[in-house]
Amino acid sequence: PMRGSQRAAAGALLLALLPTALEWLLAREFAVHTSGGVLITGASTGIGHHAAVALARQGYHVYAGVRKEADAAAISGAGIATLHPVTIDVADSASLAAAVASVGDALEALGLPLIAVVNNAGISKDLPVEVQSLSSARQVFDVNYFGAVDVTQQFLPLLRAAGGGARIVTTGSLAGWISMPGTATYSGTKHALEAFSDALRMELQPHDISVSLIKPGYVVTEIGAKALAGSDPEALARSNPAGHALYKDFLELEAIRVKHVFELAPGPEVTTEVITHAITSRHPKTRYFVGAAGVLPGWVAARIKWLLPDRLWDLMIAYEEIITRSLA
């Protein structure tokens, strides 16, 4: 017979696996488009660029959204006939309207539908709440959240014209479920994308359009370096000396922690794999956990956060701070 500790362990394992089992049992089938157009925002570098190249090499006509002419030139010079740069600023509705017209005309000339939109554009400018400027916070929401909403609204008519089986894929984050200290703004946008994707998925069920949310943990991309720059203690000292004095130790430790976790993180190939699955599978998932959360896989960290009371989770994060101090 099983001992009490063994029964408890088995029960915990079953509880952790239950969501996965139910997801498999309730998987919904969608038509798969083996050709057509795919729009990816934030495709100049990192996750978006890697996915754009991979999907173009599979034969999809990929419209890689960039803001800078130099990035557009680099994409054009990649030598992939089905990879097309398109100028998009997701925080500018007029820019999006022009992109919709450009992509629509290009696909009409090819006789192809738009079969997927990947909302990937994102920025990170985080500081502790007390010293975070509202202008920076609003800019992050304008790009990460409102940008995704605007892109989706403007491109949905083209997706609906595909006749069923079109896909909307949004790059969220493990930060949409796990908020770390000092990341209130970025995590706030990713929490918002959770609600956005859930509501959108149910709204588009009658139109046979799949909606998936990608939830990366730490993945090695340029946004990590930019996040560190945005939390630069010296920059805060120049703009807000009093705030710098309050949070100097925290920011210095955070820079060490983030540097360490990125050293353990995989590259964007892990996100490209699940983005491709969300677009090409007959049974796309509603959520994909990828990447790392320090020494743990992202999905494991998410399960632990789900199971533990908040106060116990807070103690774990405090313990991580002690570990970080030992790395300093």
Side-chain angles (χ1 to χ4, degrees):
M2 295 179 67
R3 296 176 180 176
S5 59
Q6 291 175 324
R7 287 195 296 270
L13 178 61
L14 288 173
L15 184 62
L17 293 176
L18 181 60
T20 301
L22 290 175
E23 181 182 22
W24 180 77
L25 287 171
L26 299 171
R28 179 175 173 181
E29 185 171 343
F30 290 84
V32 175
H33 293 272
T34 56
S35 64
V38 176
L39 172 81
I40 302 179
T41 64
S44 58
T45 59
I47 289 173
H49 183 77
H50 195 279
V53 170
L55 287 164
R57 285 177 174 161
Q58 290 186 34
Y60 292 99
H61 282 267
V62 178
Y63 296 88
V66 299
R67 292 190 304 114
K68 299 176 182 178
E69 290 184 9
D71 294 331
I75 287 172
S76 296
I80 304 174
T82 53
L83 182 60
H84 317 284
V86 57
T87 301
I88 296 178
D89 181 350
V90 300
D92 182 345
S93 286
S95 168
L96 282 175
V100 171
S102 174
V103 171
D105 289 346
L107 289 173
E108 184 177 5
L110 292 168
L112 294 172
L114 181 69
I115 61 99
V117 165
V118 181
N119 287 310
N120 175 70
I123 60 174
S124 177
K125 292 186 176 184
D126 262 321
L127 286 169
V129 171
E130 187 175 5
V131 292
Q132 173 76 302
S133 73
L134 284 179
S135 60
S136 290
R138 288 190 176 104
Q139 183 184 9
V140 177
F141 268 87
D142 280 344
V143 174
N144 294 11
Y145 177 70
F146 292 111
V149 174
D150 202 356
V151 168
T152 300
Q153 288 179 337
Q154 296 210 39
F155 278 92
L156 256 174
L158 287 179
L159 288 173
R160 192 177 291 107
R167 316 294 172 97
I168 295 173
V169 183
T170 298
T171 302
S173 173
L174 190 60
W177 178 241
I178 299 174
S179 300
M180 295 293 287
T183 69
T185 299
Y186 181 77
S187 293
T189 65
K190 298 304 183 176
H191 276 263
L193 287 176
E194 296 271 341
F196 164 76
S197 294
D198 282 341
L200 185 68
R201 184 182 68 250
M202 292 181 282
E203 291 168 2
L204 295 183
Q205 282 181 359
H207 303 280
D208 198 30
I209 295 175
S210 169
V211 176
S212 297
L213 182 68
I214 310 300
K215 294 171 65 67
Y218 291 100
V219 174
V220 178
T221 67
E222 287 77 0
I223 197 171
K226 292 176 181 177
L228 282 175
S231 299
D232 182 2
E234 294 181 3
L236 180 61
R238 292 191 295 270
S239 63
N240 185 346
H244 174 263
L246 281 171
Y247 291 99
K248 177 176 180 294
D249 290 346
F250 167 78
L251 291 171
E252 290 176 349
L253 283 172
E254 183 65 5
I256 295 168
R257 186 190 70 81
V258 172
K259 181 177 182 295
H260 177 64
V261 294
F262 271 114
E263 289 172 350
L264 302 172
E269 64 278 358
V270 297
T271 46
T272 292
E273 180 180 353
V274 294
I275 289 170
T276 301
H277 187 275
I279 292 173
T280 63
S281 172
R282 290 191 303 117
H283 300 100
K285 296 181 179 181
T286 59
R287 278 175 172 78
Y288 293 84
F289 288 92
V290 294
V295 297
L296 296 175
W299 72 269
V300 173
R303 286 285 191 269
I304 292 172
K305 177 66 169 66
W306 176 60
L307 287 169
L308 295 184
D310 287 342
R311 297 300 185 189
L312 182 53
W313 177 263
D314 293 350
L315 287 174
M316 289 182 59
I317 299 305
Y319 177 74
E320 184 181 23
E321 182 177 328
I322 294 172
I323 300 298
T324 302
R325 288 184 185 277
S326 72
L327 298 172

